[in-house]
Amino acid sequence: MTKKLVLLSMVFLLMFISSCSNKPIKEHSFSSPNLTPLTTIESNSRLITQLYQMAKTGKVSEDKWKSGEDTIMEVEKDWGVADDKAEASSGTYSTYEKKHRVFGFNEQGQIYDIRSHSNKLQHITQNETEQVLGAPDEIRHFQDQNIYVYQTNQTYQLKFIFPPVADGDDRKLSHVSVVYLPWDPSVKETEPSYALDSMTIPEKIGQLMMIGLEGTTIDQQATNYIKENKVGGFILFKRNIENTQQTVDLINDLKQANDNQIPLFLGVDEEGGRVTRLPEEIIATPTSQTIGEKKDSDLSYQIGKLLAKKVKAFGFNLNFAPILDVNSNPDNPIIGDRSFGSEPSLVSDMAIAQMQGMTDNHVIPVGKHFPGHGDTNVDSHIDLPLLDHSIERLHQVELVPFQQAINHGAEAMMVGHLMVPSLDPDNPATLSKEIIQGLLRQELGFDGLVISDDLTMGAILENYEIGAAAVKAIQAGTDLLLVCHGYDQMNAVFQAIEKAVDNGDISMQSLDDSVNRVLKLKEKHGITDERIESVDVEKLNQDVQEVLDSSSLD
């Protein structure tokens, strides 16, 4: 009897197993009950988001090639000769069919356009793209194609190319393109709408000056500089800032006093850590050193966004940050924890991410202090520091972050008061044609705005007459002069430049070139003198605290 029961049990068990094996297996049956299979639309949405995020760094896929960083020679070394190479008005294009890639490059072999026509992209529709990313910044048309252009940041453009379809159906993607704007031949330089030709010489000189204030309210001297000299902008320090409402009122008063058609640069040193100028009720972001220790470029980007949000909330449009100096000297009295670290590559990665965080949030970052203040033992606020390294060492350490920032579209650089004998044995960097025009512009390829460090610092005043120094700085290639203390010093600078233009020591062409750079940058970033009504301190602090908490930062 027992044996029969065992046999019957085995038969029933085999029948049950057999019936189960014939049931269809549900997708994701191993997952939690909350996880549902991705629809095609959900999958495409994720893919579109990934494309946008990668485009911010110059990439179209997970492979290593980056627009604006790599060369076609490097591609050929890894992937061999292209399947096809074609000349176009904007450059040369190499096609790798099996890799689904096309590289556009210039005469120097620098890649400025990377395209992908991967099969997985071609399920994305035009409507889905708009649903995920919103309306494009621009829609172009070429041979009946719709080209959706998204400006991911100041450096890169992402393009979705949709070919025509029959019967008005939703268009499906052909390929995507990530373009590095500084090298793109199709990006034409445009003249600013501000009427340069109608400006007087004193008005042009005014645009080359960014000055400080003595107190916490606008005074008559500042008003005169705005109305009579058409000064280019103001920089505020801790001495000018008491609390949130006073700061907003001061900035609004400066804007209101400006009856010029050209808006003001309004700048501040908001680096985080010990260099923070905003009112005490605003939570400060950590030091650059603390951020560098995390070695997380996404975190540095988020800090850049926070810095921009904070300064923009008060009406500032320009931030003198980040520090691009490599902290290679532990005895340095002025840089220290203001630097991201002692490794050039780490400083480059962190600083570039922070700059992009600021530009993406409509504040102009200013990298500093060219050609590198990290390995000095004198504070340039007191006297003139010496950077006594060979040209080879400078290219290996100090200059690396500046070159990388330039490669990634930096628009403004501050030159420090530094003696660098290997580059110029006679003049500090701020006054050196060899360093500004020779190294920064010609060798490193920087075509943005060159800003001097404050001409009223000890490094200048202890060694030069300020008017003569200002003229020499303009002759060396500086576009915008910081004169942060003393209206008598500002008057001396203005008068010396006016005299130098009058007698031909500063050419009209040089003057116009610098003014043009100032005007173009103001127009490009849509700077206005629009009033700020109030600052939501609670929301700003909440945004800062969320990033600090999520990153385990104090």
Side-chain angles (χ1 to χ4, degrees), residues 391-408:
I391 294 174
E392 290 74 22
R393 147 69 191 234
L394 293 172
H395 277 284
Q396 291 170 0
V397 180
E398 280 77 13
L399 296 176
V400 171
F402 293 97
Q403 179 69 84
Q404 289 301 312
I406 290 166
N407 289 349
H408 285 79

Side-chain angles (χ1 to χ4, degrees), residues 122-318:
Q122 295 172 7
H123 298 288
I124 294 172
T125 70
Q126 186 170 288
N127 287 340
E128 287 169 349
T129 304
E130 283 202 69
Q131 288 170 9
V132 175
L133 300 181
D137 297 302
E138 183 183 355
I139 299 178
R140 301 175 189 170
H141 304 281
F142 178 71
Q143 295 181 347
D144 294 327
Q145 298 177 115
N146 286 348
I147 303 173
Y148 277 22
V149 181
Y150 290 90
Q151 192 80 30
T152 63
N153 50 42
Q154 295 297 324
T155 307
Y156 294 107
Q157 238 177 32
L158 173 62
K159 300 177 184 177
F160 293 81
I161 292 82
F162 299 98
V165 291
D167 302 324
D169 291 339
D170 191 8
R171 297 187 180 210
K172 289 191 175 180
L173 187 66
S174 164
H175 62 279
V176 295
S177 169
V178 174
V179 176
Y180 181 69
L181 297 174
W183 291 349
D184 181 10
S186 68
V187 177
K188 305 297 183 185
E189 291 291 333
T190 57
E191 293 300 316
S193 61
Y194 310 123
L196 182 66
D197 291 341
S198 66
M199 294 172 67
T200 65
I201 289 176
E203 287 173 343
K204 291 178 180 180
I205 295 171
Q207 286 301 306
L208 304 192
M209 293 179 63
M210 195 165 178
I211 64 175
L213 288 167
E214 296 303 315
T216 56
T217 58
I218 186 171
D219 54 28
Q220 190 58 50
Q221 291 97 322
T223 302
N224 290 342
Y225 257 95
I226 294 172
K227 293 186 176 298
E228 296 176 14
N229 300 111
K230 310 298 184 185
V231 71
F234 288 84
I235 177 171
L236 299 191
F237 294 91
K238 208 66 175 176
R239 69 176 186 264
N240 308 121
I241 294 174
E242 290 179 336
N243 56 60
T244 295
Q245 191 57 52
Q246 171 269 329
T247 307
V248 170
D249 290 343
L250 173 56
I251 291 176
N252 281 339
D253 288 345
L254 291 170
K255 291 178 175 180
Q256 185 175 355
N258 186 32
D259 54 5
N260 190 2
Q261 64 159 332
I262 304 169
L264 296 169
F265 273 142
L266 292 163
V268 66
D269 292 296
E270 189 64 24
E271 301 172 12
R274 58 189 162 105
V275 182
T276 181
R277 311 297 195 207
L278 297 182
E280 292 182 358
E281 53 258 46
I282 306 295
I283 297 174
T285 55
T287 65
S288 294
Q289 177 179 289
T290 301
I291 298 165
E293 287 169 352
K294 292 286 186 178
K295 298 182 178 180
D296 183 348
S297 58
D298 287 337
L299 170 61
S300 194
Y301 176 84
Q302 293 302 320
I303 296 295
K305 284 179 62 176
L306 289 176
L307 292 172
K309 281 184 181 180
K310 294 200 298 181
V311 301
K312 188 180 179 185
F314 284 85
F316 294 104
N317 47 49
L318 189 148

Side-chain angles (χ1 to χ4, degrees), residues 322-351:
I323 291 279
L324 292 168
D325 305 313
V326 179
N327 188 35
S328 55
N329 183 351
D331 297 324
N332 191 315
I334 188 61
I335 300 301
D337 63 1
R338 296 169 64 194
S339 168
F340 289 102
S342 58
E343 294 296 324
S345 59
L346 175 66
V347 174
S348 300
D349 291 344
M350 297 299 106

Side-chain angles (χ1 to χ4, degrees), residues 504-523:
D505 289 339
I506 294 176
S507 70
M508 283 302 302
Q509 183 63 57
S510 174
L511 180 65
D512 285 351
D513 286 347
S514 289
V515 175
N516 208 37
R517 288 192 187 96
V518 170
L519 301 185
K520 285 169 65 176
L521 193 58
K522 287 182 176 182
E523 185 164 62

Side-chain angles (χ1 to χ4, degrees), residues 317-495:
N317 47 49
L318 189 148
N319 189 17
F320 291 98
I323 291 279
L324 292 168
D325 305 313
V326 179
N327 188 35
S328 55
N329 183 351
D331 297 324
N332 191 315
I334 188 61
I335 300 301
D337 63 1
R338 296 169 64 194
S339 168
F340 289 102
S342 58
E343 294 296 324
S345 59
L346 175 66
V347 174
S348 300
D349 291 344
M350 297 299 106
I352 289 166
Q354 194 173 100
M355 292 176 86
Q356 290 181 336
M358 281 188 259
T359 54
D360 286 355
N361 286 271
H362 313 295
V363 168
I364 303 169
V366 181
K368 58 186 185 183
H369 308 79
F370 185 82
H373 207 326
D375 194 6
T376 59
N377 54 21
V378 172
D379 181 351
S380 55
H381 292 86
I382 301 170
D383 210 335
L384 190 56
L386 174 68
L387 185 62
D388 197 11
H389 287 306
S390 68
I391 294 174
E392 290 74 22
R393 147 69 191 234
L394 293 172
H395 277 284
Q396 291 170 0
V397 180
E398 280 77 13
L399 296 176
V400 171
F402 293 97
Q403 179 69 84
Q404 289 301 312
I406 290 166
N407 289 349
H408 285 79
E411 295 176 304
M413 288 285 186
M414 175 186 283
V415 179
H417 304 311
L418 306 162
M419 284 300 299
V420 192
S422 62
L423 298 174
D424 185 339
D426 302 317
N427 303 290
T430 341
L431 315 183
S432 172
K433 187 174 182 178
E434 286 79 3
I435 292 176
I436 296 176
Q437 292 189 25
L439 177 62
L440 180 58
R441 291 216 184 276
Q442 295 175 15
E443 188 170 346
L444 302 189
F446 181 65
D447 61 358
L449 194 69
V450 173
I451 306 174
S452 77
D453 208 341
D454 178 16
L455 293 181
T456 65
M457 290 164 63
I460 296 297
L461 293 185
E462 292 296 321
N463 298 281
Y464 302 90
E465 190 277 318
I466 192 168
V471 170
K472 200 162 188 177
I474 297 293
Q475 291 171 331
T478 303
D479 300 309
L480 186 62
L481 302 173
L482 289 186
V483 190
C484 302
H485 303 270
Y487 292 117
D488 55 339
Q489 307 285 20
M490 298 169 198
N491 291 336
V493 167
F494 190 92
Q495 291 165 11

